[in-house]
């Protein structure tokens, strides 16, 4: 079974500052990793995913994440945030075997301050 | 956007009443999932389906049942709703061989 820990439940950051949202996972098998974003009163939208290959993954809206197998981490970063990035961010993991259900972290609420 | 709709979008019901939530997709994807979202818990899997009439339980399946009689529809039923089932329910779909899941807009259910 897999588990995901998002280390920060809330992250406030000033506009145009960099941000890192931390995610650690636990699994006895190979995994796929995902970051989803949820804007207020909306569903979840995929930001980026790691399936294999390069450990640095680029996603939409200027976000990127780095897969670190030795530290079992998949931290999300953005060099300069905007007010519109205010949302809840979820890290998720699945077995690397196709169409297995996702296991989600509890989420990190990013608040961008003007 | 993936063609996923959920109905109803909002529902208020009373303890002990049956409730059915519907997820409808137009993508012809094989896999469908039901999650619930609660503050401080993220999203948790209730049930999922890997084909017509093929379903399996997730982490929080107690009190819920599902049915999938055709590819495009996945129904979630609360046989006798309880206040602990007040939540936002999300449906998701994925295609064969893919791991990316596409999410519907959610259903906000309140059980009084």
């Amino acid at each position: 079974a897999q588990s995901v820990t998002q280390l920060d439940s809330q992250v406030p950051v000033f506009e145009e500052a960099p941000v890192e949202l931390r995610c650690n996972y636990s699994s006895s098998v190979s995994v796929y990793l995902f970051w989803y974003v949820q804007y207020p009163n909306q569903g979840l939208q995929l930001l980026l995913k790691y399936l294999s290959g390069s450990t640095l993954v680029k996603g939409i809206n200027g976000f990127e994440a780095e897969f670190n197998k030795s530290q079992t981490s998949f931290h999300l970063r953005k060099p300069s945030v905007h007010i519109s990035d205010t949302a809840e961010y979820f890290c998720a993991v699945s077995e690397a075997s196709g169409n297995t259900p996702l296991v989600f972290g509890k989420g990190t609420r990013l608040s961008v301050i003007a | 956007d993936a063609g996923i709709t959920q109905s109803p979008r909002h529902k208020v019901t009373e303890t002990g009443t049956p409730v059915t939530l519907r997820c409808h997709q137009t993508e012809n994807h094989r896999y469908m999932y039901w999650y619930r979202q609660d503050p401080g818990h993220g999203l948790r899997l209730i049930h999922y389906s890997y084909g017509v009439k093929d379903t399996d339980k997730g982490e929080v399946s107690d009190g819920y049942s599902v049915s999938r009689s055709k590819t495009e529809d996945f129904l979630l039923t609360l046989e006798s709703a309880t206040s602990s089932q007040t939540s936002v329910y999300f449906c998701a779909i994925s295609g064969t061989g893919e791991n990316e899941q596409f999410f519907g807009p959610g259903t906000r259910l309140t059980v009084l």
Side-chain angles (χ1 to χ4, degrees), chain B:
Chain B
D1 290 345
I4 312 171
T5 56
Q6 293 185 232
S7 57
R9 293 292 314 281
H10 303 271
K11 186 171 182 66
V12 180
T13 191
E14 295 187 350
T15 297
T17 60
V19 176
T20 295
L21 308 183
R22 180 187 185 223
C23 177
H24 179 77
Q25 59 145 330
T26 58
E27 305 296 321
N28 200 35
H29 280 350
R30 178 180 175 185
Y31 296 83
M32 299 184 75
Y33 312 82
W34 276 108
Y35 295 89
R36 60 177 288 174
Q37 182 180 22
D38 303 288
H41 290 276
L43 280 82
R44 294 178 291 174
L45 181 69
I46 306 172
H47 283 279
Y48 66 102
S49 169
Y50 45 96
V52 174
K53 299 188 178 173
D54 292 323
T55 65
D56 207 349
K57 296 179 179 180
E59 176 189 356
V60 292
S61 60
D62 286 349
Y64 301 95
S65 62
V66 290
S67 66
R68 191 163 177 208
S69 59
K70 45 187 179 178
T71 299
E72 56 266 36
D73 288 326
F74 192 32
L75 304 180
L76 177 70
T77 297
L78 292 66
E79 300 290 348
S80 177
T82 68
S83 58
S84 64
Q85 294 175 312
T86 292
S87 187
V88 180
Y89 291 85
F90 286 100
C91 175
I93 64 173
S94 65
T96 301
E98 300 174 1
N99 270 76
E100 178 176 348
Q101 293 183 18
F102 299 93
F103 283 79
T107 294
R108 184 174 296 275
L109 176 68
T110 303
V111 183
L112 302 176

Side-chain angles (χ1 to χ4, degrees), chain A:
Chain A
Q2 294 77 44
S3 66
V4 176
T5 301
Q6 292 185 242
L7 297 160
D8 305 293
S9 59
Q10 297 187 59
V11 173
V13 62
F14 286 105
E15 194 173 17
E16 298 184 7
V19 70
E20 178 180 80
L21 306 184
R22 297 179 293 168
C23 173
N24 285 91
Y25 70 92
S26 172
S27 178
S28 58
V29 299
S30 296
V31 296
Y32 295 148
L33 292 155
F34 306 83
W35 276 99
Y36 283 85
V37 61
Q38 184 180 34
Y39 299 104
N41 299 313
Q42 294 188 26
L44 277 73
Q45 179 182 2
L46 183 70
L47 270 180
L48 47 79
K49 60 185 177 184
Y50 171 79
L51 303 182
S52 64
S54 173
T55 57
L56 183 62
V57 180
K58 294 189 182 298
I60 62 172
N61 300 339
F63 283 92
E64 64 180 32
E66 186 159 18
F67 171 56
N68 188 320
K69 188 174 182 179
S70 63
Q71 298 193 6
T72 61
S73 67
F74 191 55
H75 300 333
L76 181 70
R77 302 185 183 99
K78 186 170 183 178
S80 176
V81 296
H82 303 291
I83 294 290
S84 59
D85 293 322
T86 294
E88 188 143 24
Y89 292 79
F90 293 96
C91 182
V93 64
S94 72
E95 287 184 24
S97 59
N99 294 113
T100 55
L102 296 173
V103 175
F104 284 86
K106 295 182 178 181
T108 297
R109 184 169 300 277
L110 174 65
S111 298
V112 181
I113 305 161

